[in-house]
Amino acid sequence: MRENQGRTAPHSAFGSNVVSKPKGLSLRASVSTAEGTELDAIRKYSEVVPDTVIFDDFERFPPTAATVSSSLLLGITSVPKGSYNGAIDSALAYNKCYVENSGERLSCFLNKALVNVGAELVKSVPGRVSTEVDARLAYDTPGIVNEVHELLRMYDEVEVPRDRLLFKIPATWQGIEATRQLETEGIQTHVSLVYSFAQASAAAQAGASVIQIFVGRVRDWARTNSGDKDVDAALASGADPGIALVTKSYNYIHKYGHKSKLMAAAVRNKQDVFSLLGLDYLIVPVKVLLSLKESKADLEDKYAFARRLSPSTAQNATFSEQEIQKWDQGTFAKALGPLAEDLLRRGLDGYINNTERVEEHFSKIWPPPNV
């Protein structure tokens, strides 16, 4: 998530975060455009999601879905008397969390706070709300499954329908195995921190409902690092490594009949958008959205507005025997590559840091005066 100077809002499960005004909550939004703009032309092929944590941006782009995360909770707690502070206060008064072990108590408070905020967001958006699973469990399959079951139990208590929920799980092997089990149970998952074809295809094989790839982060890594086989191959062919990863993953999902929807995050500019037309979800910075909205579409420019990704063209894609194999932990680890290993580790470190900051804050304000 980016640093911001102004009023902030929740971030999106499919894109940006939004609350009553802090940072951290992801909100997927539908964008109203006048006919004839570039944005209007693009939305014929892909759902566009504003990538922002500035609350005022959602006045212009009303959210249709959201992600609730530790980052969002930090944003909420930074705004005294904000709209979602009551959800935090009631989480700290949840008596089922009043256990002797302080670590278990704080973890329970964290989960209850995520659920309380998530339940409020479900009332505010027509789409699904994705709830972040504790990243400290990233390498613990039973731990992730148990955590999701506990979150679901809490959502059931406040009568949130399960079809309105996703659970955001990191793309470690253990996270993907947890995804497989949860999807078998009918629980929808959102696999994130995907930086390699091995992660994307393994998540698709596991039946993930949504798979999120960070296009710009892949490109950034490639500019300052080398030695990753897939990145080197993309660069040698003249392709952008981030665009190439999304394209390959999309083609794999559609050629082999997987149900997963694919999302591109960290989209940086108009050319990224044009290069990924047809993808299920495009998470686009507001400054790029505004440029697209203010630009008249030249529909004679068939290159700019041609659909690049479609289920039919995916049938022409070719894959090696290794790429279409059923992944196991050993082959997955070998195929991950230095880029994915590096960015996955960094992403997990960031999530864990946010989680521990939230718990530290809760430890300072609990017990409340009447407890």
Side-chain angles (χ1 to χ4, degrees):
M1 174 182 312
R2 293 192 299 273
E3 296 295 324
N4 296 280
Q5 301 299 321
R7 280 167 49 192
T8 55
H11 209 97
S12 157
F14 314 88
S16 314
N17 286 314
V18 172
V19 278
S20 229
K21 291 70 184 162
K23 73 181 179 185
L25 168 100
S26 269
L27 295 175
R28 189 169 80 204
S30 62
V31 183
S32 286
T33 63
E35 227 177 294
T37 67
E38 289 182 339
L39 186 53
D40 184 61
I42 288 162
R43 291 182 67 235
K44 294 177 181 177
Y45 303 108
S46 298
E47 181 168 347
V48 176
V49 181
D51 186 7
T52 180
V53 293
I54 303 298
F55 182 75
D56 290 346
D57 291 331
F58 294 98
E59 301 292 328
R60 293 174 288 179
F61 305 119
T64 62
T67 298
V68 58
S69 64
S70 53
S71 176
L72 173 61
L73 297 183
L74 285 174
I76 293 171
T77 57
S78 72
V79 181
K81 299 181 180 179
S83 298
Y84 291 86
N85 289 84
I88 302 295
D89 293 341
S90 62
L92 295 177
Y94 185 60
N95 58 18
K96 291 182 181 178
C97 291
Y98 290 6
V99 296
E100 195 69 31
N101 183 285
S102 62
E104 292 177 7
R105 182 170 63 246
L106 290 172
S107 180
C108 181
F109 285 153
L110 174 69
N111 283 347
K112 183 57 176 171
L114 291 169
V115 166
N116 285 357
V117 175
E120 290 301 311
L121 290 170
V122 165
K123 300 173 187 175
S124 304
V125 300
R128 294 177 293 186
V129 171
S130 183
T131 303
E132 178 183 280
V133 174
D134 191 336
R136 293 172 295 191
L137 300 171
Y139 294 96
D140 179 357
T141 296
I144 293 171
V145 171
N146 290 337
E147 182 89 344
V148 171
H149 287 164
E150 178 63 11
L151 289 165
L152 266 177
R153 183 191 64 76
M154 291 181 175
Y155 273 117
D156 287 342
E157 286 182 340
V158 291
E159 300 182 337
V160 174
R162 293 190 174 196
D163 62 358
R164 298 291 308 282
L165 299 171
L166 289 161
F167 293 92
K168 189 175 180 182
I169 296 171
T172 59
W173 175 255
Q174 292 80 1
I176 289 168
E177 283 297 287
T179 294
R180 186 190 313 280
Q181 180 173 332
L182 292 166
E183 290 282 351
T184 300
E185 297 174 19
I187 299 169
Q188 299 176 104
T189 59
H190 166 199
V191 175
S192 190
L193 299 180
V194 174
Y195 300 104
S196 69
F197 177 74
Q199 290 172 294
S201 56
Q205 289 179 9
S209 295
V210 177
I211 299 171
Q212 184 172 349
I213 296 176
F214 293 88
V215 177
R217 294 184 194 176
V218 171
R219 178 187 304 139
D220 293 344
W221 190 94
R223 285 174 175 160
T224 56
N225 297 273
S226 60
D228 187 278
K229 175 175 62 69
D230 292 335
V231 168
D232 293 344
L235 294 174
S237 69
D240 176 277
I243 300 294
L245 173 58
V246 174
T247 300
K248 185 175 183 178
S249 300
Y250 178 94
N251 288 340
Y252 173 82
I253 287 168
H254 286 278
K255 181 164 185 171
Y256 295 103
H258 297 290
K259 72 170 189 179
S260 305
K261 300 293 185 183
L262 196 60
M263 175 188 303
V267 170
R268 301 282 169 76
N269 52 53
K270 282 188 180 184
Q271 190 54 54
D272 285 348
V273 173
F274 296 148
S275 297
L276 293 171
L277 286 185
L279 195 69
D280 302 294
Y281 305 113
L282 292 172
I283 302 178
V284 183
V286 167
K287 67 178 181 179
V288 177
L289 285 179
L290 290 173
S291 177
L292 292 167
K293 185 177 180 179
E294 293 165 0
S295 301
K296 185 177 175 65
D298 179 5
L299 298 181
E300 297 300 315
D301 186 352
K302 295 181 180 179
Y303 177 78
F305 298 105
R307 181 169 183 167
R308 308 304 173 80
L309 302 172
S310 70
S312 59
T313 57
Q315 305 311 310
N316 299 322
T318 58
F319 297 89
S320 69
E321 288 296 320
Q322 179 184 10
E323 290 170 335
I324 63 174
Q325 68 180 314
K326 182 171 173 55
W327 296 100
D328 59 34
Q329 187 169 4
T331 55
F332 178 84
K334 290 178 182 177
L336 207 53
L339 179 152
E341 290 174 353
D342 183 20
L343 294 184
L344 176 60
R345 175 184 52 78
R346 285 197 244 167
L348 289 172
D349 287 347
Y351 287 168
I352 290 169
N353 179 62
N354 287 338
T355 297
E356 292 177 343
R357 287 172 61 196
V358 172
E359 291 185 347
E360 180 182 9
H361 175 73
F362 287 171
S363 73
K364 292 176 180 177
I365 62 175
W366 190 89
N370 296 326
V371 174

